[in-house]
Amino acid sequence: MVVLWVEFRGTAMEGGLVGCGALGEAVGFLRHFNDLEDPRQRGKVMYPLDEVLLLCLLAVLAGADTFCDIARFGDRKLALLRRFRPFRDGTPSHDHLGDIFATLDAEQFQRCFVAWVAALTGAPAGVIAIDGKTLRRSYQKKGGKAPIHMVSAFAARQRLVLGQVKVADKSNEIVAIPKLLEMLAIEGAIVTIDAMGCQRDIARKIVDKKADYVLALKGNQGSLREDVELFVAEQKANGFLDTTVSRDRTVDGDHGRIETRTTTVIHDIAWLQERHQWPGLNAVVMVESSREIADKTECETRFYITSLALLASLLGPVVRSHWAVENSLHWVMDMIFRDDECRVRTDHAPANFTTVKHMAHNLIRKAPGKDSLRLRRKVAAWDDNFLASLIAA
């Protein structure tokens, strides 16, 4: 195979290379990271940043879970890597990789990721579920540093990560979520967030970006929650005769479990808006669920506020779609990408390594075929051509 190399300059990845064929596909992916600044000193850099990013992504796709894994992958797969970049000096050691990721600007890396996903998927449609996840083994005993917490935006329909931000030390999701929303193009989408994100400023940010919201309502919004509960209790007692509602009931059965959900949407909320002045508020949603397992029955009632003016039959599925972020992202990151076992913990390295794993997650998801994500990752380790096809997709 003959590969043509054309050197280009003038970006943060100065000295990067563009080629033909499969190489062009790889550069198409890396183009979105051209503005990512290399934290190393100016002058001769033995391992260019674009080569480092490509190495790490290919290794993680093929099953690498640590920097030691990635370094060994680089040693064994140099011929594959050179199909896309020169790698004139080979690949970095695991310590060198850790140092690069520790000093790489995490927020800038995440913005590049968001730009790449936007080019990959276009405008997001349907539900965007936002939720946080703690990287449990990223804590440091020395200095008593707590594990880092990442907040991710997940497109429920496409099952792709749209973006992520690290929650700052001594901060919380309430501060991180607006930063994440600011990065994303969400016009026309429906943003769902758990009770932590049920804040006026967050609702305002979503509405200002021409999207809708469904926010879980719990005790952190004390008077609002109390007013809703009292009103619902009164109306439920007289069959909702004094207000405008729509209702929907679904029954699901799986693995010996029967779950019945009754969704009630209260459309007449002018009285509530007059008292609380929530940006864009159009309805209150109540979901009553009963779960029967063997001879045991569990009941739960949950409340939500929303800017949507939809019937219960349409809002019920929106509420349930939020759980995709738990079932199709957090669970996958733990079970397939071994998130909770990852001991990367220095400076920006945990956040940056999570971003690389989210990149790998998205590419594995988009791979054709019916294999499970676990099996696709194994095939990527076994078959160089399949692995190369993932970054060319």
Side-chain angles (χ1 to χ4, degrees), residues 115-154:
W116 168 65
V117 176
L120 195 69
T121 64
V127 171
I128 298 175
I130 293 180
D131 195 32
K133 182 180 186 298
T134 298
L135 308 183
R136 300 188 184 283
R137 301 203 69 179
S138 62
Y139 68 89
Q140 295 186 49
K141 290 183 180 179
K142 185 177 180 181
K145 186 175 180 181
I148 74 164
H149 191 77
M150 299 289 291
V151 177
S152 302
F154 188 71

Side-chain angles (χ1 to χ4, degrees), residues 8 26 84 89 108 115 118 141 159 217 223 232 278 337 348-349 367:
F8 73 93
F84 306 100
D89 295 300
Q108 192 180 46
K141 290 183 180 179
R159 294 194 296 173
L217 178 60
S223 60
V232 168
W278 268 78
F337 291 90
H348 297 301

